[in-house]
Amino acid sequence: MDSADTHTQGEQPETPFHDTDHYLSIPRVGGLTLSPDGKRLVTTVSTLNGKGTEFATALWEIDPAGHKPARRITRSSKGEAGAVFAANGDLYFTSARPDPDSPDADPVNALWLMPADGGEARVVHSRPGGISSVMAAKDADATFVNAEVLAGSADEDSDSDRRKARKDNKVSAILHSGYPVRYWDADLGPAEPRIFAVEHGEVEEPGKPSTVDAPLPLKLRNLTPGVGGSLREAKTVVSPDGKTIYTSMTKALARADSREVLAAVDVATGNVKVLLDHEGMSYFPGPVSPDNRTLVVESESDTTPTQAPQVKLHLLTVGGETTDLEPLAHQWDRWATALAWLPDGSAILAKADDDGASPLFRISVADGGVTRVTQDASAYSDVVVSPDGTAAYALRSSYEFPPEAVRIDLATGEVTRLQAPAERPNCKGHLERVETTAEDGARVPAYLALPEGASADNPAPLLLWIHGGPLGSWNAWTWRWNPWLLVAKGYAVLLPDPALSTGYGQDFIQRGWGEWGKKPFTDLMAITDAVVERADIDETRTAAMGGSFGGYMANWVAGQTDRFSAIVTHASLWALDQFGPTTDAAQYWLKEMTEEMAMANSPHLNVGNIKTPMLVIHGDKDYRVPIGEGLRLWYELLSSSQLPADDNGQSPHRFLYFPDENHWVLQPQHAKIWYGVVEHFLAKQVLGKDVSLPEELGL
């Protein structure tokens, strides 16, 4: 048998993508925070532990000037995350590593502080329910945390007692009185998120001798005690002066529906005031202006079966009586996310999907004019601005490299890669931008990742990868669906943006709305037709693959055509009548399609047409696309497709099932299994080769 990895024990592979163990060992960078003086830039780096079973995170410091090497500033088996600089330069983060001062305490995610002038990090507050995240005001001594409390708790002491009672009595039951009850992979309740102000407490034993560095104890003041579960998945920002917190809040509506309203939390009093609450619209806070007077607001309209959502930016003057929104760049046909204000308040930096990239843009506050700042075909995120406003720092990625920290000259748009915690991994092959024209005249763009050596004399087999969402785009590095692992095996990988994709304007989204099986499908077939005409592509050896909506589309493709030699469908929608009421967010899904539309677009009705071998992949903890979709698909493939189980119960279809994974496969060894099984299945069905399965499957 051919081995799933192409090198022998102890031999270095050509690239990390030629061996999944090496691939999983690539350090992963995420998040940026900049010190108030602009001299320290901190990021989080995830690396594989020694056993290869989980990722551990650590904080690293990167030189904003680009002169000094990156250096690791924390180290523990539990890892650290969520770093935020306070106005005085102290660095806060969260970690579940043991507290040296309380070694016998049960480890929980606590609030840690690393002093601005150096020294060991220390726990500054811990609570039985843990700390979810930390926030700090830019210009004031004001720190806040997000943390969960049991709904019936009156204060922190009662919350601790209730948690202990549930734990000691091994109670996991949850009594719900509203919707939703699950989210992605998490059961909601009985704990609910709250926003707390971090304040100085009282010394337990005044006058007791201690060292001069003994810190004052901290306490948490609950700013949102009566908000119920409305802060779950909320977007929250702090004003620079630390006096106000702006947050989205989920408002429960009739018939288990909901939408997001915008609220302001007064830090001094804890008063929560709803600022924006309009039928058919959800609101989310963007950054607050340097003078604390203006808030960027992001709005999203409710969907209907005939109308896609519209995402817009606005400006809201805060602190006064009016709540009138001022449109910001509404002439710009992109869905933008506001990231930061320039220090002089003249403009806002934003990102938006745009033709296979997600560049950084400058939006003028005065007239809403939009200027593209970065010119490369990359995706930018985690943007922070230097104190003098001349530069921004961000994480940048593309399909040619994973996220890395960069400095952006805001006057010229020049981008400089900063010294990183790890070298860029080498990808063997190259990336091209390709496109075709759909039946209705629309442009259908894509990326094509080609293996080294693909030519007319050596055409590469083709894998059509269909992105999820469906409101998204192939425009940034992905660890979960990484084309270079299969490019290393000799495949060409096609990454199209069909109808419903973002980055091409509202009309491009609208043309596929409510008709998943029409324009998105014909767009995918059109770009596939165009690419297989190339001499360096082997049109006789092709497969289609996708996850989530991409898995839905893979299922739809299987029922519409037998042009592909294999189909891989991950976390996929199969029976839309079943999916709609059982997904974790049925209130959104049931607005998108009528029952008649759902049936017209449901792949399960075409199972009798399926004659292509399919690999079904699903995790039992997937609440977005519940496991029932995968179970029903698997049974109906074996019982009703044109490749049913024979008299011995055998079929070319396969089902890779993960009992403890969710919508994504997150555990490193399970990711290795995922890629190994996919390679085995594709090799057999597309290449006619026998590649061994991962030994860990026990087969």
Side-chain angles (χ1 to χ4, degrees):
M1 290 186 181
D2 291 334
S3 171
D5 293 323
T6 57
H7 71 288
T8 58
Q9 184 74 24
E11 179 184 349
Q12 181 177 343
E14 288 186 74
T15 75
F17 304 96
H18 284 76
D19 182 281
T20 49
D21 286 321
H22 283 244
Y23 169 71
L24 291 169
S25 296
I26 299 172
R28 305 180 180 193
V29 176
L32 278 183
T33 184
L34 183 67
S35 62
D37 61 8
K39 296 180 179 180
R40 300 182 64 195
L41 192 63
V42 171
T43 189
T44 301
V45 180
S46 298
T47 53
L48 201 61
N49 68 5
K51 295 181 179 180
T53 55
E54 61 183 13
F55 292 102
T57 59
L59 302 185
W60 283 68
E61 187 168 329
I62 297 172
D63 178 16
H67 303 313
K68 300 176 183 178
R71 66 185 185 96
R72 185 171 182 166
I73 59 175
T74 66
R75 187 182 299 273
S76 74
S77 60
K78 293 293 184 180
E80 299 82 26
V84 172
F85 276 106
N88 66 354
D90 288 345
L91 183 68
Y92 288 96
F93 60 89
T94 60
S95 178
R97 66 187 190 180
D99 180 1
D101 293 331
S102 304
D104 298 328
D106 291 336
V108 294
N109 214 37
L111 180 64
W112 290 68
L113 180 147
M114 184 176 293
D117 53 1
E120 191 86 15
R122 66 175 187 270
V123 174
V124 291
H125 192 79
S126 182
R127 59 189 297 275
I131 303 291
S132 301
S133 62
V134 57
M135 304 176 290
K138 184 179 180 181
D139 301 328
D141 179 18
T143 307
F144 309 91
V145 297
N146 294 296
E148 291 193 336
V149 301
L150 293 176
S153 301
D155 52 34
E156 287 287 86
D157 288 339
S158 67
D159 188 65
S160 178
D161 292 341
R162 288 169 183 268
R163 289 179 183 278
K164 186 176 186 303
R166 283 179 65 86
K167 180 180 179 181
D168 291 348
N169 291 288
K170 300 185 184 303
V171 173
S172 60
I174 304 168
L175 177 63
H176 291 283
S177 58
Y179 188 85
V181 300
R182 310 194 296 183
Y183 191 75
W184 286 114
D185 63 348
D187 293 308
L188 301 182
E192 298 171 341
R194 299 285 185 266
I195 301 171
F196 292 87
V198 181
E199 300 177 341
H200 291 297
E202 297 180 357
V203 177
E204 290 186 5
E205 299 181 60
K208 187 176 183 180
S210 66
T211 58
V212 295
D213 68 338
L216 288 173
L218 298 181
K219 65 178 182 180
L220 300 184
R221 178 165 58 93
N222 193 341
L223 299 177
T224 55
V227 299
S230 65
L231 292 177
R232 289 173 178 148
E233 305 306 319
K235 182 177 181 180
T236 304
V237 299
V238 178
S239 64
D241 62 10
K243 295 180 179 179
T244 310
I245 296 173
Y246 299 97
T247 184
S248 59
M249 297 176 63
T250 303
K251 180 177 181 177
L253 304 173
R255 301 182 181 275
D257 198 1
S258 64
R259 54 183 167 81
E260 299 296 311
V261 301
L262 181 69
V265 182
D266 184 274
V267 172
T269 65
N271 178 57
V272 179
K273 179 182 179 181
V274 174
L275 302 179
L276 295 172
D277 178 3
H278 297 140
E279 185 176 353
M281 195 71 69
S282 287
Y283 298 100
F284 307 89
V288 185
S289 62
D291 64 4
N292 301 285
R293 296 178 179 178
T294 307
L295 173 71
V296 180
V297 176
E298 301 171 10
S299 69
E300 181 176 343
S301 62
D302 281 357
T303 63
T304 72
T306 58
Q307 183 63 54
Q310 295 194 40
V311 176
K312 299 289 186 182
L313 294 181
H314 315 260
L315 296 177
L316 176 65
T317 300
V318 293
E321 294 301 320
T322 179
T323 56
D324 293 336
L325 288 173
E326 178 184 343
L328 181 64
H330 282 198
Q331 79 287 352
W332 186 30
D333 195 13
R334 292 293 182 269
W335 288 5
T337 299
L339 303 172
W341 285 77
L342 296 188
D344 64 3
S346 65
I348 292 159
L349 297 181
K351 69 172 183 177
D353 290 351
D354 187 65
D355 200 0
S358 188
L360 189 65
F361 297 89
R362 180 190 292 107
I363 305 176
S364 169
V365 172
D367 60 11
V370 178
T371 304
R372 180 165 173 167
V373 178
T374 58
Q375 302 303 318
D376 57 344
S378 298
Y380 289 81
S381 66
D382 301 277
V383 173
V384 291
V385 181
S386 65
D388 62 7
T390 62
Y393 303 93
L395 294 184
R396 174 185 67 173
S397 80
S398 77
Y399 277 105
E400 297 181 301
F401 51 85
E404 59 188 22
V406 297
R407 183 178 65 254
I408 305 159
D409 186 309
L410 293 178
T412 66
E414 180 183 359
V415 181
T416 303
R417 181 176 180 239
L418 300 176
Q419 294 202 47
E423 294 300 318
R424 271 190 192 176
N426 178 37
C427 303
K428 199 164 187 178
H430 68 278
L431 194 68
E432 294 183 12
R433 190 72 168 153
V434 297
E435 63 180 69
T436 192
T437 302
E439 296 174 350
D440 61 357
R443 170 175 168 258
V444 183
Y447 283 109
L448 179 63
L450 285 160
E452 191 175 68
S455 66
D457 295 330
N458 183 36
L462 180 71
L463 304 180
L464 166 65
W465 279 19
I466 311 168
H467 71 64
L471 302 175
S473 169
W474 290 118
N475 61 22
W477 185 270
T478 168
W479 295 106
R480 179 55 260 146
W481 283 77
N482 193 289
W484 299 109
L485 285 158
L486 288 164
V487 169
K489 308 301 180 184
Y491 296 95
V493 179
L494 179 63
L495 305 158
D497 279 346
L500 293 175
S501 298
T502 53
Y504 306 94
Q506 190 73 26
D507 289 346
F508 197 80
I509 297 170
Q510 186 63 45
R511 61 191 285 269
W513 193 256
E515 297 181 326
W516 288 7
K518 294 187 178 180
K519 286 291 192 299
F521 170 69
T522 56
D523 283 0
L524 291 167
M525 295 304 99
I527 190 66
T528 303
D529 289 341
V531 169
V532 297
E533 290 179 358
R534 294 168 54 121
D536 55 359
I537 299 297
D538 185 350
E539 66 176 337
T540 68
R541 298 186 296 168
T542 62
M545 302 171 59
S548 195
F549 168 79
Y552 158 87
M553 190 54 70
N555 294 339
W556 184 264
V557 167
Q560 302 296 318
T561 177
D562 61 357
R563 66 180 296 171
F564 297 101
S565 300
I567 301 284
V568 179
T569 180
H570 171 96
S572 66
L573 290 69
W574 173 243
L576 297 190
D577 59 335
Q578 170 182 278
F579 165 79
T582 59
T583 181
D584 61 351
Q587 75 276 24
Y588 295 112
W589 165 256
L590 297 176
K591 295 177 185 177
E592 292 197 17
M593 292 189 186
T594 65
E595 292 183 11
E596 294 76 17
M597 292 166 68
M599 284 297 92
N601 290 275
S602 188
H604 82 285
L605 297 179
N606 301 312
V607 64
N609 298 332
I610 295 177
K611 58 179 67 174
T612 304
M614 296 186 68
L615 170 60
V616 179
I617 308 175
H618 221 112
D620 200 87
K621 301 302 182 183
D622 187 348
Y623 299 158
R624 179 54 46 98
V625 182
I627 185 60
E629 297 297 297
L631 294 174
R632 182 170 172 180
L633 168 57
W634 178 237
Y635 174 74
E636 292 184 352
L637 285 176
L638 297 184
S639 63
S640 305
S641 74
Q642 293 192 32
L643 296 172
D646 60 21
D647 292 342
N648 295 317
Q650 300 300 306
S651 168
H653 301 307
R654 295 291 183 269
F655 183 19
L656 178 60
Y657 169 65
F658 293 99
D660 54 356
E661 290 286 1
N662 55 37
H663 198 61
W664 306 273
V665 177
L666 299 179
Q667 297 179 46
Q669 291 303 311
H670 283 166
K672 183 178 177 180
I673 294 291
W674 192 98
Y675 280 110
V677 172
V678 167
E679 186 192 348
H680 164 84
F681 185 75
L682 293 175
K684 183 173 184 178
Q685 303 299 338
V686 179
L687 307 181
K689 293 183 178 180
D690 191 6
V691 170
S692 59
L693 285 164
E695 293 182 358
E696 293 84 351
L697 287 171
L699 300 176

